[in-house]
Amino acid sequence: MLGRFFKKPEDDMGGRVPPGQTLTTRFPVLTYGPVPRYRKEDITVRISGLAEEQIFSWIDLQKMPQTTLTYDIHCVTHWSKLDTTWTGVSTPELMRHVTLKPGATHVMIHSVGGYTTNLSLADFVRDQNLLAYEFGNTPGTVAALETEHGGPMRLVVPHLYFWKSAKWVNGLEFMSADEAGFWEKNGYHMRGDPFKDERYSD
């Protein structure tokens, strides 16, 4: 399998490849539980917790400025995929429409089907992060995001291991402290920086 689909890099390619990673041109599908199937028109993102409650619809998201970015992604299962292209709404843009209450420091990402993962606000509100609905293997080329990869819309947080980039996002719960999500409760690191090899909890 390593020789056919994955390749060990000769070096870190100028700092692009984290320790312990192999390169792939494929996009492996890793999902816990059944794959939900619904139309993009049915997308909703519910804001709750330490924020004024509201629900963003697909139409609401489409009215916001759209961003296309190309970057590398890294999975905790040791694969990295370089030069992936995504289009969607940046998290800083989304947060311009969210009113936080005092004390909000973290956010729990909720997904259709019950999956959750945690992020600090500092990690969530970064220019590179997207609520993405289009994906492309070739820089500059994008198409509708396939269901198995989180379509019709997923979060993309490229500076952390890819389990933090929750598929099928439907809620953002703002919190006053860090709390473990699904994989964090099951042994994964609370933050998951691939360049620090933060795969598992101590």
Side-chain angles (χ1 to χ4, degrees):
M1 289 290 291
L2 182 61
R4 185 176 181 184
F5 297 120
F6 300 90
K7 179 182 178 181
K8 288 185 177 180
E10 295 181 1
D11 52 40
D12 68 358
M13 300 185 67
R16 293 178 69 180
V17 182
Q21 296 295 101
T22 57
L23 298 179
T24 182
T25 56
R26 302 170 68 231
F27 195 170
V29 176
L30 299 171
T31 300
Y32 178 83
V35 174
R37 299 184 183 277
Y38 57 101
R39 303 175 307 162
K40 63 185 179 182
E41 291 82 5
D42 297 326
I43 287 174
T44 58
V45 179
R46 181 174 180 267
I47 305 300
S48 64
L50 290 177
E52 291 187 6
E53 292 201 10
Q54 58 182 312
I55 295 177
F56 293 106
S57 67
W58 171 251
I59 293 176
D60 294 330
L61 296 172
Q62 288 299 292
K63 290 179 180 179
M64 299 179 191
Q66 307 294 298
T67 300
T68 298
L69 296 171
T70 298
Y71 36 54
D72 307 334
I73 57 176
H74 312 286
C75 183
V76 71
T77 59
H78 297 277
W79 59 261
S80 291
K81 184 173 176 62
L82 306 184
D83 296 319
T84 63
T85 299
W86 305 82
T87 293
V89 177
S90 73
T91 56
E93 175 59 37
L94 180 74
M95 291 302 294
R96 292 187 182 97
H97 305 269
V98 174
T99 301
L100 294 179
K101 297 179 181 179
T105 60
H106 291 77
V107 57
M108 185 69 75
I109 315 301
H110 292 264
S111 297
V112 174
Y115 177 81
T116 57
T117 192
N118 60 307
L119 291 169
S120 69
L121 274 181
D123 281 325
F124 179 69
V125 185
R126 289 171 61 113
D127 290 339
Q128 295 278 302
N129 298 348
L130 296 174
L131 287 174
Y133 56 87
E134 290 184 349
F135 166 77
N137 278 307
T138 303
T141 302
V142 291
L145 183 61
E146 294 180 2
T147 303
E148 289 75 12
H149 294 305
M153 188 180 72
R154 73 177 297 160
L155 179 65
V156 184
V157 182
H159 70 289
L160 300 179
Y161 281 123
F162 218 50
W163 91 80
K164 294 291 188 178
S165 296
K167 300 177 181 180
W168 313 299
V169 172
N170 70 350
L172 304 172
E173 178 187 0
F174 294 90
M175 308 178 297
S176 61
D178 201 7
E179 295 182 15
F182 177 82
W183 284 117
E184 295 81 16
K185 290 178 181 177
N186 286 279
Y188 279 12
H189 197 274
M190 287 292 282
R191 182 160 187 260
D193 185 335
F195 290 93
K196 295 180 180 179
D197 207 16
E198 293 176 340
R199 300 178 196 272
Y200 308 108
S201 58
D202 296 333

